[in-house]
Amino acid sequence: MIASTAPPTIRVTVWNEFRHERANPRVAAIYPQGMHQTIADALGRDADLSVRTATLDEPEHGLTDAVLEQTDVLIWWGHMAHAEVADAVVAKVRRRVHEGMGLIVLHSAHYSKIFKSLMGDTCSLSWREASDKERLWVVCPGHPIVRGIGPFIELPVEEMYGEPFGIPTPDELVFISWFTGGEVFRSGATWRRGHGRVFYFRPGHETYPTYHNPQIQQVIANGVRWAHTGLRIQDDAPNVAALEPLPADPDAAHRSTVSHV
Ligand code: ZN
């Protein structure tokens, strides 16, 4: 009898502040159930992904301890309400990333509390909301995040983000975007933080149908699988005994017993 080779289910939570869709009819026409639902519906077509959503105005922003404990990869979209995200929730998310949870940060979430906190940098950029075309060039063709994508993705209309992007040098640069206006931008980048993996992916301004684009959906799904570590490691800075005999310690009585935690 041959054992099943089905991949393990990856538990994904798609988080969205879900404000533009309720305030701007133009955005609501593109995303009637919210951007989170469009992204979740696309991911939900893949048998190895189990997808839920959470939004800012739910209690604890929908990110209770139970939800976070059952999340392997968290996707984050925010823009107009970064400041309303509770610091306690940000701290919990950061702790889960350090334990091994994956985090995919989309578009204007470059200024989210969680991304800035994990990057330790300004995360600033230049921008223009006009009628630019965006071409995202794949600059790391062997990377799992760009599997099945080809040499580039072209988006007929998108908001422009330009350099300098205030991020620490990425571990891996996956996409570089070109815009009609002449700018370039590091639009797909990865970092390790603690035991977790972080992927920033630029496209997704709310007034354009970017998250309906099959290639964009494919990159997000690939990103989920790349960011999934399956790890849950809690580093608690233990005070450990030596494995081998040590020389006599004349200062033993004066050693600190204070925890480093
Ligand atoms: Zn935008």
Side-chain angles (χ1 to χ4, degrees), residues 107-108 159 161 205-206:
H107 188 60
S108 41
E159 181 181 17
Y161 279 5
H205 185 67
E206 65 274 6

Side-chain angles (χ1 to χ4, degrees), residues 207-222:
T207 56
Y208 305 120
T210 298
Y211 295 124
H212 292 285
N213 180 299
Q215 285 183 296
I216 297 298
Q217 294 175 352
Q218 182 68 56
V219 170
I220 294 173
N222 289 347

Side-chain angles (χ1 to χ4, degrees), residues 5-180:
T5 55
T9 297
I10 303 173
R11 299 166 300 177
V12 184
T13 300
V14 184
W15 190 91
N16 181 15
E17 67 180 23
F18 195 27
R19 291 283 178 85
H20 289 288
E21 298 94 325
R22 291 186 289 159
N24 182 343
R26 212 172 131 219
V27 180
I30 301 168
Y31 299 109
Q33 311 299 321
M35 280 179 274
H36 54 295
Q37 198 57 55
T38 299
I39 294 167
D41 289 346
L43 294 173
R45 290 196 291 267
D46 292 345
D48 59 328
L49 306 182
S50 157
V51 187
R52 75 203 307 165
T53 64
T55 56
L56 177 65
D57 291 326
E58 295 172 47
E60 296 185 60
H61 313 324
L63 298 175
T64 61
D65 288 351
V67 168
L68 282 174
E69 277 169 24
Q70 293 161 25
T71 299
D72 298 311
V73 179
L74 177 64
I75 298 174
W76 195 280
W77 196 102
H79 179 225
M80 62 191 287
H82 294 317
E84 293 181 45
V85 178
D87 291 339
V89 172
V90 175
K92 285 197 301 184
V93 171
R94 187 175 58 237
R95 190 180 323 121
R96 285 286 295 120
V97 171
H98 287 160
E99 290 173 354
M101 183 179 76
L103 179 67
I104 299 181
V105 177
L106 297 174
H107 188 60
S108 41
H110 71 91
Y111 258 171
S112 61
K113 286 182 178 178
I114 182 61
F115 188 61
K116 288 201 290 187
S117 157
L118 285 166
M119 294 296 107
D121 214 325
T122 65
C123 300
S124 167
L125 46 78
S126 63
W127 61 280
R128 174 177 61 246
E129 197 176 338
S131 54
D132 284 272
K133 175 168 76 178
E134 176 177 13
R135 189 176 293 130
L136 296 100
W137 286 98
V138 171
V139 295
C140 191
H143 199 283
I145 288 177
V146 293
R147 193 163 290 154
I149 294 303
F152 58 80
I153 299 172
E154 201 163 283
L155 300 173
V157 192
E158 251 292 356
E159 181 181 17
M160 188 284 293
Y161 279 5
E163 297 284 343
F165 187 13
I167 47 172
T169 300
D171 294 342
E172 299 161 311
L173 190 55
V174 183
F175 288 103
I176 296 176
S177 282
W178 166 91
F179 295 88
T180 319

